Amino acid sequence: MKQENRPLVRALQTFKSQEPISFHVPGHKHGLLSDLPDELGKALTYDVTELSGLDDLHEPEGVIQEAEELLSTLYQSNQSFFLVNGSTVGNLAMIYATCQANDTIIVQRNAHKSIFNAIELTGARPVLLSPPWDEYTRTPGILTLSQVKEALVAYPDAKGIVLTYPTYYGVVGEGLRKIIELCHERSIPVLVDEAHGAHFIAGRSFPDSALEAGADVVVHSAHKTLPAMTMASYLHVKSNIVSVDRIAHYLTMLQSSSPSYLLMASLDDARAYVQSYTLEDERHFMNTRKFFIDKLRELQNIEVVETDDPLKLLIRKKGYSGFSLLSEFEKQGIFAELADPFQVLFVLPLLKEKTNYMYEESVERIKRAVRRLNEKDMEEEAEVILLDEGISTLSYPIQELNGMKKEWRPMDQAEGCIAASSIIPYPPGIPLLIGGERVTEKHIKRLEQYLRLQAKFQGAIRIEERQIEVAVIDGGISC
């Protein structure tokens, strides 16, 4: 089986070459009835359905099966799946496959909101582990072996542990393999949201994948670091504990019954891209990356922080928040992944040898942005506000909150209340406050800090009114 093959892409090309006439869905009829701009409309000729020769994602036996087998071979899994509903659906499926109502599941606190949504839907009871603060990147880091060991002793009946690796900022830390071994000694499956690590297989310059470390189920956002379309993701199972059939069962339930062939074709293409990544490609990427970093470091008062993942760069400007820096970048046409109180996060392209990027032009634009920022008053340095580390649980099961009365309350009067639902800075989509948690002074300080810096939020917060939603329990406010 040749890895460079793109069986689904090839099948779509063959289908289009037949000049087919559509008496089937979708209703745009190969783009004929669409008023989208020409550049978008052209793609609709490949936006088809489960026709002869194009296979069926939910019962693959042809080109989709072949494409998924190529994916599995590349990542050395027992079985791999295409995901057309994003990594979210992969996170949902792996938790549904391992947990039921009232089961205990151990979760890394700085997980994506989709993990907590999955736990809420299953009715499982999360045990939260807050990782140590990583001062180098000024972000929450990775769990330690001792933290996991303590949690397993305290909760020996846990049905699984969910890890985020790498973090959104590219931190991988040390000890993942030992954590997995510790869990497997107790027959506890390790589920890894590796959304930002689909490219780790590309070469030695990148960290090891959680699959290589022995994780049972791993989810990849192919669209984040590989050349796949938004929402296009992978799920891999490599386990003697987690049933592949259960994963497949829940994916069939949770994924669209009308999957996008454009997304699936891009997954086929992204797999071929990373599989064909050569040592020469890797050298080219690392050399162009070094050029970019060196040029950035020549700029006045700009700090460039390299993380464990070479695709991630943190950019800081002394005297200014990441939000202020990003605002000036965007005025110059530089759009980054996210900002936080301390920095801006760049996600670099995984270039191949014959592909260049607009790094020189980017440096010139960044230089203009920095010059404009220098004309503004310096800001008070953002305070590092750490939430409590260690083991915690929700003060009230989120499932039981859903049917309760809720009330909006001023943030400065919410300490001690039970959060009615999650409050999430977006991006990165990591809850600052989880529904069912008791609001602490530190939560309020973090919220106020992000609001001052004009961060964007999802969830139960009224930004203008400075209010959050809290639960009303037994007829009274839960404070």
Side-chain angles (χ1 to χ4, degrees), residues 326-437:
L326 179 60
S327 177
E328 293 300 331
F329 282 173
E330 291 183 348
K331 291 173 185 176
Q332 301 300 325
I334 296 290
F335 291 87
E337 178 66 13
L338 62 80
D340 67 28
F342 310 103
Q343 59 217 343
V344 169
L345 172 64
F346 280 8
V347 181
L348 303 184
L350 186 67
L351 297 178
K352 286 194 172 184
E353 185 179 19
K354 295 181 180 180
T355 308
N356 291 312
Y357 208 64
M358 297 175 287
Y359 281 141
E360 290 190 44
E361 173 64 21
S362 298
V363 171
E364 290 304 311
R365 295 188 187 192
I366 291 170
K367 186 183 296 183
R368 292 198 295 270
V370 170
R371 190 182 305 125
R372 286 174 56 93
L373 198 56
N374 284 334
E375 296 171 358
K376 299 184 177 182
D377 292 337
M378 294 181 69
E379 302 166 359
E380 182 179 344
E381 185 173 356
E383 178 186 0
V384 176
I385 303 170
L386 302 180
L387 301 181
D388 293 334
E389 294 182 8
I391 302 174
S392 64
T393 57
L394 299 183
S395 296
Y396 218 87
I398 186 63
Q399 299 84 359
E400 297 180 21
L401 291 175
N402 289 333
M404 293 183 176
K405 185 179 177 182
K406 301 170 185 178
E407 184 170 308
W408 291 97
R409 192 169 180 85
M411 284 192 324
D412 58 4
Q413 299 175 29
E415 184 177 350
C417 294
I418 302 297
S421 56
S422 295
I423 299 174
I424 308 161
Y426 205 90
I430 297 167
L432 192 155
L433 190 59
I434 301 171
E437 276 191 308

Side-chain angles (χ1 to χ4, degrees), residues 264-333:
M264 290 190 289
S266 78
L267 284 169
D268 194 20
D269 182 64
R271 185 270 314 153
Y273 184 93
V274 72
Q275 188 279 327
S276 63
Y277 207 77
T278 65
L279 181 59
E280 289 73 24
D281 294 329
E282 185 180 353
R283 286 171 178 161
H284 174 69
F285 163 74
M286 293 302 290
N287 286 338
T288 55
R289 173 183 179 274
K290 183 179 184 303
F291 166 83
F292 184 46
I293 292 171
D294 288 346
K295 289 295 183 181
L296 288 176
R297 285 177 171 157
E298 291 175 4
L299 303 181
Q300 185 179 9
N301 294 325
I302 282 290
E303 181 183 3
V304 181
V305 178
E306 302 177 60
T307 73
D308 298 325
D309 178 4
L311 281 194
K312 301 293 179 70
L313 286 182
L314 303 179
I315 314 297
R316 298 174 185 157
K317 174 78 167 73
K318 187 174 177 59
Y320 301 91
S321 74
F323 296 102
S324 296
L325 185 56
L326 179 60
S327 177
E328 293 300 331
F329 282 173
E330 291 183 348
K331 291 173 185 176
Q332 301 300 325

